Amino acid sequence: METVKFKYLLDDHLPPVETAVYGLQWFLVTVPCIIILGAIAGGIADGDSAAGQLRYLQKLFLLTGLIMLVQVLRGHRLPLIVGPAAVLLSGIVATQTNTTGGAAYFSIALCGLVLAGLSWFKLLHRLSRLFTPRIVGIVLLLIAFTLLPTILNLITSGSDNPFIQMAFAMIMILLLLLGQRLLPDILKSTLVAWALLVGSLAYYTLVAGAWPQTAPTPAAAGGWQLAVDGFEFDSVVFISFLFCFLALTANDLGSIQSIAGLLGVTDAAKRSNDGLFVTGLGNVLAGLLGVIGPVNYSLSSGIMLATGCASRFPLAVAAGALSIVAFIPAIIAIFSYVPPVVIGSLLCFIMCSQVAAGMLVLGKDLATSGFETGMIVGLSLMLGTLAAFLPAQVTTAIPAVVRPLVTNGFVVGITAALLLEHVIYSKTKV
């Protein structure tokens, strides 16, 4: 594979000023991911407690900074952004009405330990046969589709006129798409960060008609709780998160290998194994802290190509900045002003990119075996989306022992995909 020519290569040390500038850019790209997914997960964990949600974001900033720093220096040693895993958010959302939050985060910690163990003993290759292109594509699509109820709730919450908010969200998403198409590459990488600011200002000016009067009281950084209330083992929840971690592993491995291929490194297998080991340990720490676990993001390649900088060391600067901000709650409190409709719109935009990635992965199979691939993808998505939108009266009628599995749209969808791919269509040539 022919590698791309970069101004700065993987292990190049940049001048201090350029290191700081590139580090700031990586920081601005990472922060919106933390805020958007962290605000949703923190709201689930702490409800309407502003101080609790603030502490949640503090812990998430610290965790993300630490794991990114370890990954860049001792893990995969590649210029990859680390952020909260959307697939784990779908698992947390699915279990919120059935079990305590402690069961979900305990399962994240245990699954992280399993992932770290498989990486340590170099057994992950045994799982690779499950991750056919169709399964990887379906995973990317399911993450987006099973978060649709959460996106809808965010877009329509906090107003007596949900239609106005939906119209605002549609306009914002269209403007984001226009920005992604028309802006220079260097600005595209920070588009979501600018959208947080401009979208919030536009909402309070044009829709709400008033500015928020009070901010949440900044919580002391030292007041963190190590584990959430009800930290306990639930076997059904654990099985549910095992499916989520199958997807997380595929996502993480794909991100590492894509960047390794772009940079033409010669030890991609070792970097992948080391990176997944650190991801596993990061999820153990996330579970113990009671926050959503980390994963390596695949969007790093676009930023590298836009800036011409493939050095990993600016990401260490960004990681240090994230860790420092975690201990300055007044800065994080500013993000509490972002309206839910803006968060929902941005999450919808990000999930559109997820769908596009899934379609690209499925492209070859659709060309060679369109009907069979369409059946596998279609049924998996339909079942997963149906489970995600189950009404409350149906959910309560499901036996409690299997409720966390049956009501988790991602688990339902990926189970159907694995059954169709490896059992029903296993003898079909594709």
Side-chain angles (χ1 to χ4, degrees):
M1 178 178 180
E2 184 178 354
T3 59
V4 180
K5 301 297 182 182
F6 292 99
K7 179 180 178 182
Y8 294 109
L9 300 179
L10 180 61
D11 295 318
D12 286 350
H13 291 272
L14 284 62
V17 174
E18 292 192 55
T19 300
V21 171
Y22 285 120
L24 176 62
Q25 184 178 33
W26 287 112
F27 175 83
L28 291 175
V29 172
T30 308
V31 165
C33 304
I34 300 174
I35 295 299
I36 293 168
L37 298 184
I40 300 169
I44 294 171
D46 296 290
D48 295 328
S49 170
Q53 293 182 38
L54 185 58
R55 284 194 295 271
Y56 191 99
L57 285 175
Q58 284 183 262
K59 292 189 287 186
L60 193 54
F61 265 84
L62 179 62
L63 174 76
T64 304
L66 289 176
I67 299 305
M68 186 185 296
L69 185 64
V70 175
Q71 287 282 27
V72 169
L73 299 181
R74 289 290 182 267
H76 51 57
R77 307 183 310 286
L78 295 168
L80 271 168
I81 294 173
V82 173
V87 66
L88 297 185
L89 176 63
S90 67
I92 293 171
V93 169
T95 58
Q96 64 174 315
T97 58
N98 305 314
T99 59
T100 64
Y105 288 110
F106 190 79
S107 296
I108 289 175
L110 284 181
C111 290
L113 190 61
V114 171
L115 176 57
L118 291 174
S119 301
W120 179 264
F121 292 107
K122 296 180 174 57
L123 297 175
L124 282 173
H125 67 280
R126 297 181 181 273
L127 297 176
S128 62
R129 67 188 66 178
L130 294 176
F131 302 134
T132 64
R134 284 198 290 219
I135 295 298
V136 172
I138 291 170
V139 163
L140 294 171
L141 294 174
L142 276 172
I143 293 172
F145 278 77
T146 55
L147 284 176
L148 282 175
T150 301
I151 293 171
L152 181 62
N153 289 337
L154 287 168
I155 289 175
T156 58
S157 67
S159 174
D160 296 330
N161 195 336
F163 174 75
I164 296 296
Q165 294 210 160
M166 290 182 66
F168 177 86
M170 294 302 102
I171 293 172
M172 184 173 175
I173 293 169
L174 288 175
L175 290 174
L176 283 165
L177 291 172
L178 282 173
Q180 187 183 54
R181 178 174 176 81
L182 300 177
L183 289 175
D185 290 340
I186 193 69
L187 291 179
K188 288 179 184 178
S189 61
T190 55
L191 179 62
V192 175
W194 288 110
L196 276 173
L197 173 62
V198 177
S200 299
L201 293 175
Y203 175 81
Y204 288 123
T205 303
L206 302 175
V207 179
W211 295 85
Q213 299 299 316
T214 58
T217 303
W224 296 347
Q225 184 179 355
L226 181 60
V228 296
D229 294 331
F231 203 63
E232 61 183 6
F233 176 72
D234 185 311
S235 59
V236 180
V237 174
F238 174 67
I239 293 172
S240 176
F241 273 96
L242 277 178
F243 281 91
C244 293
F245 265 80
L246 278 175
L248 183 146
T249 301
N251 188 0
D252 212 57
L253 188 60
S255 298
I256 295 172
Q257 290 185 344
S258 64
I259 297 298
L262 181 65
L263 298 177
V265 299
T266 58
D267 56 346
K270 183 180 187 305
R271 289 177 187 267
S272 298
N273 206 71
D274 293 346
L276 284 163
F277 176 71
V278 174
T279 297
L281 293 184
N283 278 276
V284 173
L285 180 58
L288 294 177
L289 288 173
V291 296
I292 187 171
V295 71
N296 289 291
Y297 284 8
S298 58
L299 54 84
S300 300
S301 58
I303 301 170
M304 291 162 47
L305 293 171
T307 61
C309 177
S311 173
R312 57 193 169 101
F313 296 109
L315 275 87
V317 175
L322 292 171
S323 300
I324 292 171
V325 167
F327 292 95
I328 310 176
I331 295 179
I332 299 178
I334 295 173
F335 293 104
S336 65
Y337 288 114
V338 180
V341 63
V342 173
I343 293 176
S345 302
L346 288 172
L347 182 60
C348 183
F349 173 72
I350 293 170
M351 289 301 104
C352 286
S353 300
Q354 189 98 352
V355 171
M359 295 301 292
L360 286 173
V361 172
L362 292 168
K364 183 177 179 180
D365 277 326
L366 287 171
T368 58
S369 55
F371 181 78
E372 292 171 0
T373 298
M375 290 295 293
I376 296 173
V377 174
L379 183 58
S380 302
L381 287 181
M382 289 181 67
L383 291 177
T385 307
L386 283 172
F389 277 98
L390 282 178
Q393 61 269 27
V394 177
T395 300
T396 55
I398 299 173
V401 67
V402 295
R403 193 178 301 156
L405 286 175
V406 177
T407 58
N408 188 326
F410 180 82
V411 171
V412 172
I414 198 63
T415 301
L418 290 170
L419 178 63
L420 290 167
E421 175 75 359
H422 296 293
V423 178
I424 297 178
Y425 287 102
S426 62
K427 295 181 180 180
T428 301
K429 295 182 179 180
V430 295

